[in-house]
Amino acid sequence: MLPDRDAAEEVAEALRERFAVDEEPRLVRDALAGEDDAEDAQWLVVLRDDGERLDPRELDEFAGEWDGWREEP
């Protein structure tokens, strides 16, 4: 979860560089519950790892560097 689209785009690029991911990470706007203001939104960087080749601990560390966190479906 990130505070704005610019940060999400930077994270997506850094993910591709650091982890050499094949799939392009998706950027998803997540409006906060009950908020109508367009400014009240967070951005998600969605990355699928169907082959389970990425280490969850490394992804947690990476997310922490961006003041974010990792979630699993």
Side-chain angles (χ1 to χ4, degrees), residues 3-49:
D4 58 52
R5 184 175 180 95
D6 289 340
E9 288 174 349
E10 287 181 44
V11 166
E13 180 64 28
L15 267 171
R16 287 190 299 271
E17 290 175 7
R18 184 182 296 185
F19 296 101
V21 296
D22 297 328
E23 182 180 323
E24 181 81 18
R26 283 187 315 125
L27 305 181
V28 178
R29 182 180 177 271
D30 184 37
L32 300 175
E35 298 293 334
D36 294 329
D37 188 352
E39 295 295 318
D40 292 324
Q42 295 176 323
W43 285 83
L44 306 166
V45 178
V46 180
L47 177 66
R48 294 180 54 109
D49 183 28

